[in-house]
Amino acid sequence: MKTKLRMVQASLLAALSLGGFACSAADTGGFSNTTGGDSYTAVTVTNLSQLESAVSSGQHHIIVSGTIYGGAGLTTLTFSSASNNNTTIEGAAGGKAVLENIQLKFDGELLASGTNIQNIKVSNLTFFGKISDLQAMPQQVYGSSDSTKKVGINYEGISLRRVTNALITHCAIYDTSDDLMSVALSSDNVTLSYNHLYFSDSWVNMSPDPVWNWVGYNTDLAGERLAMVVGANTSDSWQGTGKLHVTLHHNWIGPNVRGRPLFRGWIHAYSNYFDNSETYSGTDYNTATDGNKYPKQQYEALQLVNGSVVYSESNYFLKTNNTNTLTNDGSSYTDAFYEKNNTYSGTTGTSATGTTFSSPVSYSYSVTASASVPAYVMANAGPK
């Protein structure tokens, strides 16, 4: 049975009707004024040393060719200076550029208050974690204990922290030990388009299945299959900051995603395919649950938390469980959920129903009819 949408105050509704943000360029859906460093001379890299050198020397247009391995201990490449404004990192044509055990972290936290890293573009890349390396890190393996093992590393494919005007497009991200990606800390004007976010069957069925303590209690790595988070905490929300405007369109989320996207931002999500086509047997491990076990099935697709506003249109939800979940985090912020023309096919559990809306934005965009979304998105999402 569907739950009733919690209504927000009249003042909030008036603010929402303004659309929140605008785009001045031609129709690409979302923030088409994000160009990154496309106009700069490109530097092509084929190994980790070259990639690290390109980043540390402040190159603005980096092309990745082939597979680059970040090592068994993983590598985080951090962009934390205003000199990193106007940067593009992209894969070479053909869709075969891969960053294995490598996280791109765009992090403006150390900049002056009110200043973000600007104009970032990441495209045409595959990111993934090597399962055997991750298995070798944690302190414990389910059913046993080994104090000689190193502490596991929580990392994502792409992390945007205090970044304004970013475009992540035609990327594939899978099998990372935290969320696959995040948009947080007052980041703003972000477009996520034509990406494929998922976990492999090998991840779901990994053996041994390590136990990681990354949220204050032990939980098995195979069970932490989380797609994305927008907003890091209660104060880092659209209502709390006036930021976190994010457009998601034509992304393929799944299969094997257990939960999320989690939204604390101002979200326009259209023509995305939420694919929960895989079925599971057995349980996962979690010391915060009764009996230390919980079912492997997906627990939610979209999670809306206080401080968020979500416009969901022309999306396709296949066999998702508890599809639209409204989560009260105990803060004074409210949430608002709007939807139209979505397709829910074989969905289960409890799901919130949104209020119908007219176009929430001033930028131009073109939806794909929800019935056509799975075929279209699967054919077009990911690196090319």
Side-chain angles (χ1 to χ4, degrees), residues 79-91:
F79 303 77
S80 58
S81 168
S83 64
N84 297 129
N85 290 352
N86 311 314
T87 293
T88 290
I89 302 180
E90 63 178 327

Side-chain angles (χ1 to χ4, degrees), residues 301-332:
L302 296 184
Q303 183 180 8
L304 290 67
V305 186
N306 295 29
S308 68
V309 175
V310 176
Y311 288 86
S312 171
E313 76 178 291
S314 199
N315 298 296
Y316 194 102
F317 298 90
L318 176 63
K319 297 183 180 179
T320 52
N321 185 49
N322 300 329
T323 303
N324 303 312
T325 303
L326 306 181
T327 299
N328 188 337
D329 64 2
S331 72
S332 60

Side-chain angles (χ1 to χ4, degrees), residues 22-340:
C23 177
S24 59
D27 174 20
T28 60
F31 303 97
S32 54
N33 59 333
T34 301
T35 57
D38 289 358
S39 64
Y40 287 78
T41 301
V43 174
T44 298
V45 298
T46 60
N47 59 50
L48 182 61
S49 177
Q50 292 174 355
L51 177 57
E52 290 178 320
S53 177
V55 172
S56 64
S57 64
Q59 297 294 325
H60 288 274
H61 190 175
I62 302 171
I63 297 176
V64 176
S65 179
T67 297
I68 297 179
Y69 175 52
L74 293 90
T75 296
T76 294
L77 300 174
T78 302
F79 303 77
S80 58
S81 168
S83 64
N84 297 129
N85 290 352
N86 311 314
T87 293
T88 290
I89 302 180
E90 63 178 327
K96 296 182 179 180
V98 178
L99 297 180
E100 181 183 7
N101 284 10
I102 294 174
Q103 174 182 223
L104 299 184
K105 185 177 182 181
F106 299 90
D107 189 359
E109 289 180 87
L110 298 182
L111 299 179
S113 177
T115 302
N116 284 11
I117 294 174
Q118 301 277 337
N119 196 23
I120 299 299
K121 180 180 176 182
V122 181
S123 66
N124 210 39
L125 283 165
T126 293
F127 300 78
F128 77 95
K130 186 175 180 180
I131 293 175
S132 60
D133 288 340
L134 295 171
Q135 287 173 312
M137 291 179 185
Q139 293 175 311
Q140 299 182 70
V141 173
Y142 177 51
S144 66
S145 178
D146 183 353
S147 61
T148 66
K149 289 186 177 293
K150 296 181 294 184
V151 175
I153 297 174
N154 299 320
Y155 85 107
E156 306 170 323
I158 302 172
S159 173
L160 302 178
R161 301 161 68 89
R162 281 185 59 180
V163 177
T164 298
N165 292 331
L167 172 63
I168 312 299
T169 187
H170 286 288
C171 290
I173 309 176
Y174 68 98
D175 291 0
T176 64
S177 59
D178 204 337
D179 293 87
L180 296 173
M181 69 170 301
S182 63
V183 180
L185 301 189
S186 298
S187 291
D188 205 20
N189 291 6
V190 175
T191 299
L192 312 174
S193 64
Y194 291 97
N195 301 298
H196 187 192
L197 308 179
Y198 69 103
F199 287 85
S200 68
D201 290 342
S202 296
W203 183 279
V204 176
N205 300 308
M206 71 171 69
S207 180
D209 182 6
V211 172
W212 284 29
N213 185 341
W214 69 281
V215 288
Y217 52 82
N218 289 331
T219 183
D220 72 309
L221 186 57
E224 292 302 318
R225 306 188 305 274
L226 305 178
M228 177 197 311
V229 62
V230 177
N233 50 47
T234 298
S235 60
D236 185 35
S237 65
W238 175 71
Q239 287 186 51
T241 66
K243 307 291 186 180
L244 292 171
H245 295 97
V246 180
T247 300
L248 298 91
H249 71 90
H250 295 94
N251 298 289
W252 180 5
I253 300 177
N256 294 329
V257 170
R258 182 171 172 78
R260 303 179 175 172
L262 182 152
F263 293 143
R264 294 185 175 95
W266 200 108
I267 309 295
H268 182 205
Y270 66 89
S271 298
N272 299 288
Y273 177 35
F274 295 87
D275 173 10
N276 195 36
S277 55
E278 299 291 336
T279 58
Y280 314 102
S281 59
T283 56
D284 287 320
Y285 175 90
N286 186 323
T287 59
T289 59
D290 293 338
N292 298 337
K293 298 291 186 68
Y294 57 99
K296 285 182 176 289
Q297 73 175 128
Q298 184 185 65
Y299 55 79
E300 67 200 6
L302 296 184
Q303 183 180 8
L304 290 67
V305 186
N306 295 29
S308 68
V309 175
V310 176
Y311 288 86
S312 171
E313 76 178 291
S314 199
N315 298 296
Y316 194 102
F317 298 90
L318 176 63
K319 297 183 180 179
T320 52
N321 185 49
N322 300 329
T323 303
N324 303 312
T325 303
L326 306 181
T327 299
N328 188 337
D329 64 2
S331 72
S332 60
Y333 297 128
T334 52
D335 57 51
F337 178 41
Y338 301 86
E339 66 169 330
K340 65 179 179 181

Side-chain angles (χ1 to χ4, degrees), residues 343-374:
T343 293
Y344 297 90
S345 176
T347 57
T348 57
T350 300
S351 182
T353 301
T355 302
T356 302
F357 66 97
S358 59
S359 178
V361 293
S362 55
Y363 59 68
S364 299
Y365 65 99
S366 299
V367 301
T368 300
S370 60
S372 301
V373 160

